[in-house]
Amino acid sequence: MSHTKGKLYVISGPSGTGKGTICSILTKDPKNEFSVSMTTRAPRPGEENGREYWFVSKEEFLENVEMGNFLEYAEVFDNYYGTPKDMVLKRLERGHNVILDIDVQGGLQVRKAMPEAVLIFILPPTLTELRSRLEGRKTETRDIIEKRLSKAVNEIRLIGEYDYLIVNDDRDVAAAKAASIMTAEDCRVPDKVRSLIREYEQQQKGE
Ligand code: ADP
Ligand code: 5GP
């Protein structure tokens, strides 16, 4: 079959809900590529530049904004985060699915810029469980955890803007649901079916 473009997936949900965990399961499939965002946040212990994020200064980030290098960007928890546009477009062109782990403000910007993107929201089973996941991750101070928890309900209010909702109770079940959504999206009748029909016509001629 002829070359088809990959699909863009946005994964959002409150901090600590398990977005990173699900993305790392999904990207075990080589067809799915994680988009590494640029951020002004400091790296956490164990994070590597270019793997979890591109860690840059505020000046460098704002230069990239000026140059129009982001598909979307937002200020989240007092830091800037943005999705490098070229990398995403190149990968989609090569036929790879691209997965963005971004906040709801970013998700809504992507929806406007690329309406064909598929938006998936990951909910924690309860807010108490969300707190215990954030505390258990041991990557943020108590103050920052409180800040992240206080934003959770505001984000949850925007679920209606998303296409799919997954409650991350068991991580493997949640990742399997996300993979099933991707499989279903692969089987969606494409908007531009004409090229597919032409391909079958050519195959028929060749028979
Ligand atoms: P996010 O990327 O949404 O901020 P993470 O993927 O970092 O969240 O997950 C937050 C913490 O919760 C991590 O310590 C992770 O191992 C844990 N976690 C993720 N999914 C589950 C789950 N289904 N059950 C229990 N713990 C989970
Ligand atoms: P963290 O600091 O925990 O890695 O991420 C904090 C929040 O920023 C998460 O909700 C994450 O999804 C979001 N985020 C990460 N990268 C981007 C990005 O490029 N754009 C936007 N809008 N949000 C991002």
Side-chain angles (χ1 to χ4, degrees), residues 13-46:
S15 180
T17 196
K19 301 179 296 295
T21 305
I22 291 170
C23 287
S24 60
I25 299 174
L26 293 175
T27 49
K28 283 186 184 152
D29 179 339
K31 199 171 169 247
N32 300 332
E33 294 189 2
F34 182 67
S35 161
V36 179
S37 294
M38 205 178 267
T39 184
T40 58
R41 153 164 100 56
R44 293 175 184 142

Side-chain angles (χ1 to χ4, degrees), residues 13-22 101 129 133-134 136-137 168-171:
S15 180
T17 196
K19 301 179 296 295
T21 305
I22 291 170
D101 169 348
E129 172 64 16
R133 285 184 194 172
L134 272 175
R137 193 167 69 183
N168 178 18
D169 210 330
D170 176 284
R171 74 190 76 195

Side-chain angles (χ1 to χ4, degrees), residues 27 33-39 48-56 61 69-72 81-88 91 98-102:
T27 49
E33 294 189 2
F34 182 67
S35 161
V36 179
S37 294
M38 205 178 267
T39 184
E48 247 176 57
N49 195 33
R51 191 179 62 191
E52 284 82 7
Y53 285 104
W54 297 105
F55 297 99
V56 297
F61 191 97
N69 289 345
F70 292 121
L71 175 60
E72 63 72 39
Y81 295 79
T83 302
K85 186 160 56 184
D86 276 6
M87 205 57 191
V88 169
R91 287 162 162 189
V98 178
I99 302 178
L100 312 181
D101 169 348
I102 62 176

Side-chain angles (χ1 to χ4, degrees), residues 41 70 79 91 127 130 134 138 143 159 161 172 175 178:
R41 153 164 100 56
F70 292 121
N79 282 299
R91 287 162 162 189
L127 287 182
L130 182 65
L134 272 175
K138 294 188 166 62
D143 270 10
I159 287 178
E161 305 293 327
D172 292 325

